[in-house]
Amino acid sequence: MEKVQYKKSDFYYDLPEERIAQTPAEPRDSSRLLVYDTKEKTITDKIFRDITDYLQAGDVLVVNNTRVIPARTYALTPHGGVVEVLLLKRLELNTWEVLMKPGKKGKIGVKMTIGDELSLTVKDITETGERIVEFEYEGAFEDVLSRVGTMPLPPYIKAKLENQARYNTVYSKVDGSAAAPTAGLHFTPELLQKLKDKGVQIAEVLLHVGLGTFRPVSEEIITDHKMHSEYYEIKPEAAEIINKAKAEGRRVIAVGTTSVRTLESVADEKGMVRACHGNTEIFLYPPYKMKCVDALVTNFHLPESTLIMLVACLTGREEILNVYKYAVENEYRFFSFGDACLIV
């Protein structure tokens, strides 16, 4: 059987700008939920808190406990110019990979200041144009950053975020992301407790969301696209919960594409995972069949993005485009602060 060579245009859909959510739903679990049944090929309209009707005792919900840091800052050059500095990945204690705009001001050796508390020196430039910088500061870096940085909202969100905590999940713990794992934004502590009371198990994994969230697919043939690298970690207790469920034929339900990427990066042919950490560049697109993940909670993603390609692995390309067409026509809210989709 001939292998399909998908183009990025095969994952295009038309999205009116007014469908892009500018503010998060309040409360978190009041957003809408589109439920897509892959076997019956049916769509059901729900509210997110109704997810309790679709999860059962023994299911394992895998969440990404990364925390978004206030990663967007503005630096002054020696000549008085202003450069936007977006922190992407910590390489060493004081060394970070960052995105600079305009990049031409970030030449190797240039020193810049961010407020009175932080300065940086450009040490290197990567093949894809990111800067490697070394920071100088006094005290704890996280404390300094909390004073000089802001939440790095995606460029399609124009509204001001009044409550910065709304760009983090209620279970976020480990600082290090440049963008939120947005599927988890819909959960409240009360909803999570309700699921636990029902017998649903929660397993926490970690993947720090980096530059890839901001990088579109530039190649027409998707297999030519080079995926970004992100740090992940699976602890022994999470691996044990997930593997026991797989061994007993219970469902593993990923919350967000970042949880999927973590699990599928390490899963063997039987869907078993191991406790480990490292960097992943996994790129999932049809006809890839998930090894560990049985179902997915996710938001609605950008046209032609690696994320909609990943979701299509669970549904098929035509099916996910039909789901998105339905979502547009029925006025679902899209992207980071938008509504959710449950694929079972």
Side-chain angles (χ1 to χ4, degrees), residues 27-69:
R28 288 174 184 258
D29 61 359
S30 67
S31 53
R32 294 173 71 193
L33 177 70
L34 184 155
V35 182
Y36 181 67
D37 186 315
T38 55
K39 292 187 182 70
E40 302 295 329
K41 294 187 168 28
T42 55
I43 292 173
T44 311
D45 299 306
K46 291 287 184 179
I47 300 299
F48 191 81
R49 64 179 72 97
D50 297 331
I51 199 168
T52 53
D53 297 338
Y54 294 89
L55 303 189
Q56 56 213 38
D59 284 343
V60 174
L61 203 61
V62 181
V63 301
N64 178 7
N65 64 13
T66 188
R67 183 189 288 273
V68 186
I69 56 174

Side-chain angles (χ1 to χ4, degrees), residues 9-175:
S9 54
D10 291 330
F11 294 88
Y12 177 80
Y13 68 92
D14 193 31
L15 182 71
E17 197 173 333
E18 61 269 21
R19 297 269 53 81
I20 302 171
Q22 294 297 313
T23 53
E26 290 295 350
R28 288 174 184 258
D29 61 359
S30 67
S31 53
R32 294 173 71 193
L33 177 70
L34 184 155
V35 182
Y36 181 67
D37 186 315
T38 55
K39 292 187 182 70
E40 302 295 329
K41 294 187 168 28
T42 55
I43 292 173
T44 311
D45 299 306
K46 291 287 184 179
I47 300 299
F48 191 81
R49 64 179 72 97
D50 297 331
I51 199 168
T52 53
D53 297 338
Y54 294 89
L55 303 189
Q56 56 213 38
D59 284 343
V60 174
L61 203 61
V62 181
V63 301
N64 178 7
N65 64 13
T66 188
R67 183 189 288 273
V68 186
I69 56 174
R72 180 171 278 131
T73 63
Y74 294 90
L76 276 178
T77 68
H79 304 293
V82 177
V83 178
E84 181 185 273
V85 180
L86 180 64
L87 279 66
L88 299 173
K89 187 191 291 186
R90 192 175 215 151
L91 304 176
E92 291 172 33
L93 184 61
N94 300 331
T95 307
W96 284 74
E97 181 182 313
V98 305
L99 187 63
M100 284 189 172
K101 284 193 216 167
K104 63 184 178 187
K105 292 186 186 288
K107 293 185 170 62
I108 293 174
V110 170
K111 190 167 184 174
M112 304 181 192
T113 56
I114 301 170
D116 300 327
E117 298 182 82
L118 195 60
S119 64
L120 66 84
T121 305
V122 179
K123 294 293 187 181
D124 203 358
I125 302 173
T126 70
E127 285 179 14
T128 45
E130 291 80 53
R131 269 54 182 176
I132 308 299
V133 304
E134 189 176 321
F135 286 107
E136 288 179 45
Y137 53 91
E138 286 185 10
F141 182 75
E142 287 74 13
D143 292 344
V144 174
L145 192 63
S146 70
R147 291 190 287 273
V148 301
T150 58
M151 280 295 183
L153 293 181
Y156 49 74
I157 293 177
K158 314 288 189 220
K160 184 171 184 275
L161 181 62
E162 297 301 334
N163 178 5
Q164 298 289 307
R166 284 301 272 106
Y167 197 52
N168 266 313
T169 62
V170 295
Y171 47 75
S172 64
K173 289 178 184 170
V174 187
D175 284 344

